[in-house]
Amino acid sequence: GENVEQHPSTLSVQEGDSAVIKCTYSDSASNYFPWYKQELGKRPQLIIDIRSNVGEKKDQRIAVTLNKTAKHFSLHITETQPEDSAVYFCAFTGGGNKLTFGTGTQLKVEL
Amino acid sequence: NAGVTQTPKFRILKIGQSMTLQCAQDMNHNYMYWYRQDPGMGLKLIYYSVGAGITDKGEVPNGYNVSRSTTEDFPLRLELAAPSQTSVYFCATSSGRGRNLTQYFGPGTRLTVL
């Protein structure tokens, strides 16, 4: 079946530093790659997504890069702030609208 | 617009009991999904629906049933609750039209089976 590996499982950075989370997927037909942020006790919320025909997408301090050849995509957060502390999930979809989620990265931004 | 709503927020069940988790949306989305999230883990797809009258199994369907009689509602049924079903359950929707693949999640139902 489809699966995705997400690394690291935990990440601690100093406020103002950058954070990078990487996911590797198995299905070469995948065409949509969203990233979700989940705060403690809350629902997952989409923060950025990218399609297979684009290599990079940026939204203020958040960017996502996609390497289709290597089948991996990464989330980049610059100038991290305490409110960025949360669990981040990557996901991908191939045919249809079913998402396969990664296991999550607990990001902690320390003052 | 309320978006995606779920009831109840919390529930404690005894082993062998049954219950229905409710999910409703007012976004006129075609696609609806049920996920479970175990502590410290990612989301796993239980069942999904691409429209009224159409449902299909996801990754972990055993012990659950669904129905989709209307566009708005997608209830999840647990027939014989087991401790392994202790989890947080999220309902989600997506448009299913054109290139819009974004999934929107409800607030979740926290279920404990004792």
Side-chain angles (χ1 to χ4, degrees), chain B residues 41-60:
Chain B
M41 302 296 286
L43 295 107
K44 293 193 180 296
L45 183 65
I46 306 171
Y47 270 96
Y48 67 102
S49 169
V50 300
I54 306 170
T55 62
D56 208 347
K57 296 178 180 178
E59 184 182 356
V60 290

Side-chain angles (χ1 to χ4, degrees), chain B residues 30-110:
Chain B
N30 290 327
Y31 287 35
M32 296 186 75
Y33 314 83
W34 275 106
Y35 294 91
R36 60 176 286 172
Q37 185 177 33
D38 297 334
M41 302 296 286
L43 295 107
K44 293 193 180 296
L45 183 65
I46 306 171
Y47 270 96
Y48 67 102
S49 169
V50 300
I54 306 170
T55 62
D56 208 347
K57 296 178 180 178
E59 184 182 356
V60 290
N62 291 347
Y64 307 94
N65 276 300
V66 293
S67 60
R68 183 97 181 268
S69 57
T70 67
T71 299
E72 294 78 19
D73 300 293
F74 190 39
L76 177 71
R77 179 80 178 165
L78 282 73
E79 289 295 348
L80 292 170
S84 60
Q85 293 178 305
T86 293
S87 192
V88 179
Y89 291 84
F90 287 101
C91 177
T93 74
S94 67
S95 169
R97 301 183 186 89
R99 289 170 52 80
N100 189 347
L101 300 177
T102 303
Q103 290 194 14
Y104 300 88
F105 285 82
T109 293
R110 186 174 297 274

Side-chain angles (χ1 to χ4, degrees), chain A residues 5 13-14 16 29 43 72 85 90 96-98 101 108:
Chain A
E5 293 184 8
V13 299
Q14 294 292 315
R43 76 190 79 184
H72 65 72
S85 295
C90 65
N97 280 21
K98 291 189 295 180
F101 283 84
K108 183 177 180 181

Side-chain angles (χ1 to χ4, degrees), chain A residues 57-74:
Chain A
K57 182 178 179 181
K58 189 173 182 180
D59 182 3
Q60 298 182 7
R61 296 185 298 109
I62 295 172
V64 56
T65 58
L66 172 64
N67 183 328
K68 283 200 68 180
T69 302
K71 290 194 277 189
H72 65 72
F73 57 112
S74 299

Side-chain angles (χ1 to χ4, degrees), chain A residues 19-39:
Chain A
V20 181
I21 304 169
K22 182 178 175 179
C23 284
T24 303
Y25 60 98
S26 57
D27 186 357
S28 57
S30 300
N31 55 17
Y32 174 66
F33 306 88
W35 284 90
Y36 282 82
K37 175 183 180 182
Q38 187 177 30
E39 297 176 350

